[in-house]
Amino acid sequence: MRKTALVSAALLCGVFSVSHAADNNAAPSATVSVPAVVPFAQDAVIAGAVKRECQLGEKLSGFIKQYGQEKGVAVTQVASVGAGSAGRALVLEITDSVADGNAFLGHHTYTTVKGRLYQDGTEVGHFIGRRNSMGGAFGGFKGNCSVLGRTVKALGEDIAGWLARPGKDDMLGDLE
């Protein structure tokens, strides 16, 4: 009886391993172009220090590329992306970013982004994403840009996952 249970368990594990391996070997989707520096929205009211010092646009683009690779989505960073760009193009903008707090009161930060995915000029999906952070472990010892960096890192992972399965009117991150 015990031998039969062990054999059955081994067979089941083998079936799940093969199924999981097939998922990992799936062909990556077409390359997605993203801006090398995600811009701030024109109407965004964001502190000048955050815009000048935190490099959120560069970080977000880099995290989308990094996590895209992990999720099987090829991402290319380009100087500019628009609705009329050839191929798959993700038009992004940072619409809000707030860094309040300090070491004594704690941090309250968040970053919000909007994105639209186009395929040869036709919109195929769009989203709004937002991530909040209080700084994590030892947050009181971190500066505002460091804590905001945590928000764009999480958003980069959210967006990369969305690129694998884009939808319309999606809410990402802490908006889910």
Side-chain angles (χ1 to χ4, degrees):
M1 174 76 175
R2 185 173 184 187
K3 222 181 211 184
T4 305
L6 288 175
V7 170
S8 297
L11 287 173
L12 283 173
C13 287
V15 168
F16 289 121
S17 295
V18 169
S19 172
H20 184 65
D23 291 342
N24 288 338
N25 293 331
S29 59
T31 299
V32 179
S33 297
V34 300
V37 179
V38 177
F40 292 97
Q42 286 186 347
D43 61 349
V45 180
I46 297 172
V50 169
K51 288 181 176 180
R52 286 188 307 274
E53 298 170 16
C54 295
Q55 302 169 334
L56 298 181
E58 293 91 336
K59 290 176 183 177
L60 179 57
S61 180
F63 287 128
I64 294 169
K65 182 176 176 82
Q66 173 189 332
Y67 287 112
Q69 186 175 16
E70 291 177 14
K71 297 179 183 299
V73 178
V75 174
T76 301
Q77 295 169 296
V78 297
S80 66
V81 177
S85 297
R88 292 173 67 84
L90 181 61
V91 177
L92 283 169
E93 61 183 3
I94 298 171
T95 59
D96 200 5
S97 191
V98 172
D100 286 334
N102 55 48
F104 304 104
L105 300 174
H107 292 279
H108 174 70
T109 64
Y110 63 86
T111 302
T112 307
V113 297
K114 282 185 178 180
R116 294 191 176 279
L117 181 63
Y118 295 91
Q119 174 71 48
D120 295 319
T122 301
E123 184 179 311
V124 295
H126 57 274
F127 67 85
I128 297 174
R130 178 176 170 158
R131 281 296 184 157
N132 308 312
S133 180
M134 294 180 68
F138 305 106
F141 298 104
K142 296 176 182 172
N144 284 334
C145 286
S146 176
V147 180
L148 283 172
R150 291 170 52 91
T151 65
V152 294
K153 181 176 184 179
L155 281 167
E157 186 172 9
D158 296 336
I159 294 166
W162 180 84
L163 286 171
R165 291 183 182 85
K168 295 194 177 191
D169 296 320
D170 287 336
M171 301 296 230
L172 307 181
D174 292 325
L175 296 177
E176 288 186 288

